[in-house]
Amino acid sequence: MLMIDLDKAGGLAPAIAQDAESGEVLMLAWMNREAYEETLRTKRACYFSRSRNKLWRKGEESGHIQEVKEVLIDCDADTILLKVHQVGGAACHEGYKSCFFRRIGPEGLQVVGQRVFDPKQVYKK
């Protein structure tokens, strides 16, 4: 019951997390078969970290998990949209609600989001 085409991108599919209530795009990550199936089974977002080459259960360090409310697949069956409830109010590891907290404008790059938490306090590595 995979229903997603993982062959197009070498075993991975982009996964967009969107706030289920507001519709705000929170982040983009990648899923392999195992992450996709775990997400469907547990209703908690699980991704594949390309930099660490392993499963990444969203919130495993911060506690800011994503409770999955709905899973949608695009028309080509190669992109996943997760409508989520973002626990803790922030999806971004830099402490912002959304990973899309910077805007490019005439003046250059501008921060347009407000930090929800201090990453130094949450990620104590």
Side-chain angles (χ1 to χ4, degrees):
M1 192 167 125
L2 193 59
M3 294 184 236
I4 186 79
D5 186 350
L6 296 171
D7 295 332
K8 291 180 186 173
L12 298 175
I16 302 160
Q18 179 183 42
D19 186 287
E21 288 185 27
S22 71
E24 182 176 8
V25 174
L26 301 176
M27 59 178 275
L28 174 113
W30 296 87
M31 287 186 171
N32 64 3
R33 177 184 302 266
E34 189 177 359
Y36 178 70
E37 289 176 349
E38 180 173 319
T39 298
L40 292 178
R41 186 176 65 254
T42 65
K43 301 294 185 206
R44 287 180 59 172
C46 178
Y47 302 105
F48 180 78
S49 171
R50 295 177 300 164
S51 61
R52 293 177 276 183
N53 197 35
K54 68 175 194 168
L55 289 184
W56 159 44
R57 291 161 182 93
K58 181 70 175 144
E60 63 192 351
E61 288 183 49
S62 66
H64 299 159
I65 65 168
Q66 292 175 339
E67 298 170 346
V68 177
K69 302 300 181 186
E70 191 173 5
V71 179
L72 295 101
I73 304 299
D74 78 330
C75 57
D76 293 324
D78 62 359
T79 302
I80 302 159
L81 174 63
L82 302 178
K83 293 194 178 189
V84 302
H85 168 69
Q86 179 64 59
V87 174
C92 180
H93 74 282
E94 292 192 32
Y96 294 88
K97 179 179 180 182
S98 168
C99 292
F100 300 96
F101 62 89
R102 296 176 286 221
R103 177 185 305 139
I104 298 174
E107 316 79 46
L109 198 59
Q110 177 184 20
V111 174
V112 294
Q114 295 290 321
R115 270 216 165 101
V116 175
F117 69 86
D118 180 355
K120 292 176 187 157
Q121 298 298 315
V122 173
Y123 304 106
K124 299 176 182 181
K125 287 185 178 179

